Amino acid sequence: MNADVRSLLHQLEEQGRAHDARETEHSRKVLNLEPDTAEIVSLLARGSHARRVLEIGTSNGYSTIWLADAVAPADGSVISIDRSPEKQNMARENLLRAGLLERVDLRCGDATEVIATLSGPFDFVFFDADRIDAHKQLTLLLPKLAPSTFLVADNALSHPEEIANYLAMIGSLEHVQHILIRVGKGLSVALAAPLIE
């Protein structure tokens, strides 16, 4: 990651914290990932040479920048979904500032409805929005996954009841290795890949 992008991310971290401290309406908060969580998500995407990434929950584009930068060496791209046009406008501006807008396809709408229209394969999926319906989104995505895919979800410890169905589904899938990382709000990391004997 170059110094200019890193500097922009630091600015967005500070602006996001200040904005969320002032904002009383939950839906208008940007709720950026914690920096350590973002770094891990980026490392997973870059290390796995992900090329087709799906992000559910764009917000102001903070995590989208991390993902787009991570897939750039593999000439990858990101589809990012958010239901808020206002937040996606912020994301578009921030991605433009980062020089990464051309790597991202921003989709505005209900994530479950948008996912139903997408074609795969995706080799990296990041869930960071609708925790309650994440298991429904995963169901739609299963036939659209590459042979080896990381399935990553934030808020696994901060909102255990809301994300319980998703975590139960991940645990029930065959050929899936799963770990819960105690970083930030809790990061669920699963690798869906056939076993090699």
Side-chain angles (χ1 to χ4, degrees), residues 21-175:
R22 291 190 310 269
E23 183 57 63
T24 56
E25 189 180 332
H26 183 78
S27 66
R28 294 179 59 84
K29 292 177 184 268
V30 293
L31 303 169
N32 286 332
L33 286 180
E34 286 77 5
D36 286 349
T37 305
E39 193 89 48
I40 291 171
V41 171
S42 171
L43 286 170
L44 290 170
R46 186 181 300 267
S48 64
H49 306 287
R51 299 196 69 230
R52 287 208 73 215
V53 174
L54 177 62
E55 177 186 42
I56 302 164
T58 315
S59 189
N60 65 343
Y62 175 78
S63 55
T64 320
I65 291 170
W66 279 99
L67 287 167
D69 182 78
V71 302
D75 196 28
S77 62
V78 179
I79 295 176
S80 187
I81 307 168
D82 203 287
R83 67 172 63 245
S84 166
E86 180 185 3
K87 287 182 179 178
Q88 281 215 323
N89 285 335
M90 287 192 292
R92 187 173 282 103
E93 281 185 31
N94 291 329
L95 285 159
L96 188 60
R97 290 171 63 196
L100 293 165
L101 183 58
E102 73 280 356
R103 295 213 169 268
V104 180
D105 178 2
L106 295 170
R107 305 283 183 103
C108 192
D110 174 83
T112 307
E113 292 174 7
V114 173
I115 288 166
T117 70
L118 299 177
S119 58
F122 296 103
D123 52 13
F124 193 100
V125 181
F126 181 46
F127 296 86
D128 191 25
D130 183 356
R131 294 173 291 273
I132 293 170
D133 285 337
H135 69 292
K136 296 177 186 174
Q137 295 158 6
L138 179 57
T139 300
L140 290 171
L141 284 166
L142 286 175
K144 303 176 183 187
L145 300 181
S148 180
T149 303
F150 270 110
L151 302 166
V152 182
D154 195 30
N155 302 294
L157 293 174
S158 62
H159 296 79
E161 297 85 7
E162 292 180 13
I163 202 169
N165 287 333
Y166 170 86
L167 294 176
M169 187 173 177
I170 286 287
S172 71
L173 295 174
E174 289 186 16
H175 309 309

Side-chain angles (χ1 to χ4, degrees), residues 157 180-187:
L157 293 174
L180 192 56
I181 301 175
R182 295 183 175 277
V183 62
K185 295 177 181 175
L187 193 66

